[in-house]
């Protein structure tokens, strides 16, 4: 008999998250499942480089360290562990876990999910010759492993939400036709996948969140119908509120349709309600059939990147920057394929410390040939040390540069990817894709919502006094989710923040394609800005390559705010 609900906790939002979180989650309260998300677009490139050096690597080594004490604890407490820490080598991680289990005398049944790695077939599938190519799999392979009695399931590249979907689908016996329930689990999984971002981390209104203790990691209490309550263990830091959950729901999304391999969750059907201290209910989620194609994460090595950071102090900053740039470019032995300059005017007039009187001029070079942007590039900057503007200094000695990669998404028919589960008993099972797959419905962006109603007197103030924001990267694009906390404030936000207004407030986006989507039930708008991050985080074209601060920049911009909204304390 299926339980009324299951408690699914998450102990990792990225590769490098708090190492003690697994132990904290297992000891801190009751759980049925513990998930961990270790993968991101950049992580796949990092693991790809690891595997190029040693074919036995390619997985998240920190998870293995966490299991040294966590494996026995999980088995003793009856908690099933589901993680994507397998990265590019889930088989290798499973073998290492079995060796660890024998070493610590723990009887743990370990399964792994693979088939996502399609790099050997990338060219024949029309995806070029990347160093990594991984299709995003769904949660039903995880379900099969748990159904067969696995205590630990490690996967390669599944979608972040699939960890929760697999656990819930196993607990309740869902099938592909349970679209609304699966969609509900997708939404719950999206909320908890980034760990403490759901409990007050990276939250616009952070002053409202108890930060005196380490933030607790989130727990989703998922019911048989796919509804859920987001919470955390008692006594842990942070908070779970409608606001913190809304912020995470808006993270790294596009339109109202949130595509996953097992269902498409309709984010504009999500309803949130505070149902207790640190308890937010998610209801009303509807699901559609999943798209017929799987998304593929493609990483290519693109060349070598090097940079020089020059400190400019005192008077005539612009003129000094122009002089160094002209001297440096004229002296370079070879012109790099890409050379970008950025002058950060962090200096101030009549400063009382030298640091406050200084600006930073950054030059970034990229080229396929390491000789072009390696030692000759660095030496050119050093040789100008006594021959350029007064006060010349560097933040650090220039280096030889480092390889960089670029991410791009690809798509492949789900029927061409073999979704495999290697069960604890050694039996390998093929997971057939959902028969409901169809051509996805594309959401239409709405550039504005009509004229702004008269709300009386206004004052000039940062828009962030009224709204929160959460931003993040999606390949070379970025999203900014913006939400209000009241109906009147949302109506004003919806009318005020058009695509044109966003471009006015964020001039760096003026020449880029921007999509605007409405999510009225969450009192939110979502903007997707194409190309603002170049070719992705690994290319590092901006000082904030993952667009983490883009939303906070928007909140700092000044607009006409109705006086009746009041002002912050």
């Amino acid at each position: 008999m299926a339980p009324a609900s299951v408690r699914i906790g998450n102990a990792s939002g990225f590769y490098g998250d708090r190492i003690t979180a697994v132990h904290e989650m297992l000891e801190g309260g009751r759980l049925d499942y513990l998930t961990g998300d270790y993968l991101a677009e950049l992580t796949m490139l990092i693991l790809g480089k690891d595997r190029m050096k040693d074919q036995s690597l390619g997985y998240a080594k920190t998870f293995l360290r966490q299991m040294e004490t966590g494996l026995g604890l999980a088995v003793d407490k009856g908690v099933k562990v589901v993680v994507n820490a397998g990265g590019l080598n889930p088989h290798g991680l499973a073998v290492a876990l079995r060796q660890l289990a024998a070493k610590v005398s723990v009887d743990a049944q370990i399964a792994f999910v693979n088939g996502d790695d399609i790099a050997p077939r990338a060219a024949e599938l029309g995806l070029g010759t990347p160093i990594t190519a991984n299709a995003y799999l769904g949660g039903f392979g995880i379900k099969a492993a748990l159904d067969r009695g696995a205590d630990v399931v490690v996967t390669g590249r599944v979608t972040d939400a699939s960890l929760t979907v697999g656990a819930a689908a196993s607990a309740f016996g869902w099938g592909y036709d349970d679209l609304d329930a699966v969609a509900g689990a997708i939404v719950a999984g999206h909320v908890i996948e980034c760990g403490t971002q759901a409990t007050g981390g990276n939250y616009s209104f952070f002053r409202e969140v108890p930060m005196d203790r380490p933030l607790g990691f989130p727990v989703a209490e998922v019911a048989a119908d796919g509804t859920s309550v987001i919470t955390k263990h008692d006594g842990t830091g942070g908070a779970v509120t409608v606001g913190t959950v809304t912020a995470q729901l808006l993270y790294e999304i596009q339109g109202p349709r949130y595509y996953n391999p097992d269902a498409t969750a309709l984010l504009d059907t999500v309803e949130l309600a505070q149902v207790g201290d640190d308890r937010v209910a998610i209801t009303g989620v509807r699901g559609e059939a999943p798209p017929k194609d799987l998304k593929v994460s493609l990483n290519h090595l693109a060349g070598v990147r090097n940079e020089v950071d020059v400190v400019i102090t005192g008077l005539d900053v612009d003129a000094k920057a122009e002089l160094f740039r002209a001297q440096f470019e004229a002296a370079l032995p070879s012109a790099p394929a890409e050379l970008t300059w950025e002058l950060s005017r962090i200096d101030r007039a009549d400063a009382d410390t030298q640091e406050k009187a200084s600006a930073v001029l950054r030059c970034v070079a990229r080229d396929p040939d390491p000789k072009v942007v390696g030692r000759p590039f660095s030496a050119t900057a050093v040789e100008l040390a006594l021959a350029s503007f007064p006060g010349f200094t560097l933040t650090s000695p220039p280096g030889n540069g480092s390889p960089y990669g670029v991410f791009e998404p690809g798509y492949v028919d789900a029927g061409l990817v073999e979704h495999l589960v290697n069960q604890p008993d050694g039996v390998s099972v093929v997971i057939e894709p959902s028969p409901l797959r169809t051509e996805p419905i594309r959401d239409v962006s709405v550039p504005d919502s009509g004229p702004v109603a008269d709300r009386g007197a206004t004052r000039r103030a940062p828009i962030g006094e009224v709204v929160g924001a959460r931003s993040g990267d999606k390949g070379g694009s970025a999203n900014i989710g913006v939400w209000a906390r009241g109906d009147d404030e949302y109506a004003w936000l919806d009318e005020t923040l058009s695509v044109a207004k966003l471009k006015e407030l964020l001039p760096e986006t003026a020449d880029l394609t921007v999509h605007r989507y409405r999510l009225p039930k969450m009192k939110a708008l979502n903007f997707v800005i194409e190309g603002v991050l170049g070719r992705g985080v690994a290319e590092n074209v901006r000082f904030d390559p993952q667009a983490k601060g883009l939303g906070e920049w928007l909140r700092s911009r000044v607009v006409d705010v109705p006086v009746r909204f009041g002002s912050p304390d």
Side-chain angles (χ1 to χ4, degrees):
M1 181 176 176
S5 66
V6 290
R7 284 173 58 92
I8 304 172
N10 180 50
S12 177
F14 66 100
Y15 189 13
D17 210 343
R18 198 160 80 220
I19 193 72
T20 58
V22 166
H23 197 272
E24 292 167 16
M25 289 296 285
L26 290 171
E27 288 280 34
R30 186 180 68 82
L31 292 175
D32 298 296
Y33 300 90
L34 182 64
T35 65
D37 178 14
Y38 293 80
L39 302 183
E41 292 160 357
L42 180 61
T43 311
M44 301 303 285
L45 179 62
I46 293 170
L47 296 178
K49 291 179 180 178
D50 284 349
R51 191 174 61 172
M52 290 172 69
K53 298 174 185 175
D54 184 343
Q55 285 294 311
S56 70
L57 298 179
Y59 55 80
K61 297 184 288 291
T62 53
F63 174 70
L64 198 58
R65 287 175 51 201
Q66 290 171 312
M67 286 294 99
E68 290 175 4
T69 57
L71 182 60
L73 193 57
V75 171
D76 288 345
K77 289 179 174 288
V79 179
K80 306 291 187 179
V81 178
V82 182
V83 297
N84 60 13
L88 298 175
N89 190 6
H91 179 215
L93 178 56
V95 169
L97 281 170
R98 288 167 183 156
Q99 292 171 345
L100 174 63
K103 177 181 177 182
V104 297
S105 301
V106 174
D107 183 13
Q109 300 299 303
I110 296 164
F112 66 95
V113 177
N114 64 355
D116 60 294
D117 188 350
I118 57 174
R121 301 165 52 212
E124 70 181 77
L125 293 172
L127 300 172
T129 55
I131 63 167
T132 70
N134 296 82
Y136 288 76
L137 301 178
F140 278 78
I142 296 168
K143 174 186 183 298
L146 293 170
D147 288 349
R148 188 68 73 93
D151 297 303
V152 181
V153 184
V154 297
T155 76
R157 201 28 164 149
V158 299
T159 71
D160 301 341
S162 291
L163 304 173
T164 297
V165 170
S170 176
F172 302 119
W174 293 339
Y176 285 126
D177 56 345
D178 292 306
L179 289 175
D180 290 346
V182 171
I186 287 170
V187 170
H190 179 51
V191 173
I192 69 172
E193 72 187 40
C194 288
T196 53
Q197 280 196 169
T199 61
N202 293 340
Y203 184 52
S204 290
F205 306 108
F206 65 93
R207 290 188 180 89
E208 301 173 3
V209 177
M211 295 281 192
D212 55 322
R213 291 161 291 171
L215 299 191
F217 279 71
V219 175
E221 297 176 351
V222 182
D225 61 357
T227 60
S228 63
V229 173
I230 306 300
T231 185
K232 63 184 183 69
H233 286 332
D234 291 341
T236 57
V240 179
T241 67
V242 168
T244 66
V245 173
T246 297
Q248 176 55 27
L249 279 173
L250 295 174
Y251 183 60
E252 294 184 344
I253 63 169
Q254 298 190 34
R257 285 177 169 81
Y258 191 58
Y259 300 108
N260 264 253
D262 303 317
T264 298
L266 304 183
L267 297 180
D268 54 0
T269 65
V270 173
E271 297 180 29
L272 304 177
Q274 196 81 40
V275 294
D277 292 343
D278 295 320
R279 295 181 64 81
V280 173
I282 302 177
T283 60
V285 183
R286 300 297 303 275
E288 293 178 340
K292 70 178 186 65
D293 291 340
L294 297 179
K295 183 179 177 181
V296 183
S297 171
L298 302 169
N299 281 289
H300 304 262
L301 283 179
V304 176
R305 177 187 184 277
N306 205 351
E307 76 174 57
V308 171
D309 292 330
V310 181
V311 179
I312 304 175
T313 305
L315 303 176
D316 306 317
V317 169
D318 290 332
K320 291 172 180 175
E322 290 175 9
L323 172 60
F324 178 77
R325 176 172 179 171
Q327 290 179 305
F328 184 76
E329 290 185 351
L332 280 172
S334 302
E338 298 178 54
L339 195 65
T340 59
W341 295 86
E342 183 175 355
L343 177 61
S344 297
R345 293 299 303 266
I346 54 177
D347 56 302
R348 64 189 70 175
D350 195 22
D352 57 2
T353 68
Q354 181 177 337
E355 186 173 1
K356 294 176 183 176
S358 301
V360 176
L361 177 65
R362 172 172 296 165
C363 178
V364 178
R366 298 179 185 82
D367 198 276
D369 186 350
K371 295 178 182 178
V372 173
V373 293
R375 181 58 59 184
F377 175 85
S378 300
T380 300
V382 173
E383 289 167 1
L384 288 169
L386 305 181
S388 191
F389 60 85
F392 178 100
T393 188
L394 298 168
T395 58
S396 60
N400 292 324
S402 58
Y404 76 96
V406 295
F407 165 86
E408 64 176 351
Y411 296 90
V412 63
D413 188 293
L416 299 178
V417 178
E418 195 170 48
H419 186 170
L420 295 172
V421 182
N422 294 269
Q423 303 285 18
D425 55 10
V427 176
S428 184
V429 178
V430 176
I431 304 300
E432 295 298 328
S434 169
L436 306 177
R437 292 182 177 279
T438 185
E439 289 290 344
I441 300 171
R442 298 299 178 187
D443 293 316
V444 178
S445 64
V446 182
D448 60 54
S449 297
V452 179
D454 183 4
R455 290 179 174 80
T458 62
R459 61 186 176 88
R460 297 289 288 172
I463 193 172
E465 289 188 5
V466 181
V467 302
R470 173 67 61 79
S471 57
D473 62 311
K474 294 298 288 182
S477 299
N479 92 296
I480 307 177
V482 189
W483 81 94
R485 301 200 280 187
D487 293 334
D488 194 15
E489 289 85 350
Y490 173 64
W492 169 80
L493 170 67
D494 191 23
E495 295 165 4
T496 301
L497 198 54
S498 63
V499 168
K501 187 65 175 178
L502 181 88
K503 291 186 173 186
E504 175 190 327
L505 296 175
L506 305 183
E508 290 181 24
T509 70
D511 298 326
L512 301 176
T513 298
V514 177
H515 304 280
R516 177 183 184 270
Y517 302 98
R518 302 175 71 247
L519 297 165
K521 289 190 176 183
M522 286 194 280
K523 302 182 181 67
L525 303 174
N526 189 53
F527 295 88
V528 178
I529 306 166
E530 292 187 9
V532 68
L533 303 178
R535 291 179 289 175
V537 57
E539 190 183 27
N540 196 17
V541 297
R542 301 179 82 247
F543 77 99
D544 177 20
Q546 291 181 288
K548 298 291 190 182
L550 200 57
E552 288 302 298
W553 177 29
L554 174 63
R555 291 184 68 240
S556 74
R557 299 293 283 163
V558 174
V559 297
D560 292 322
V561 174
V563 171
R564 76 192 205 194
F565 290 166
S567 58
D569 295 333

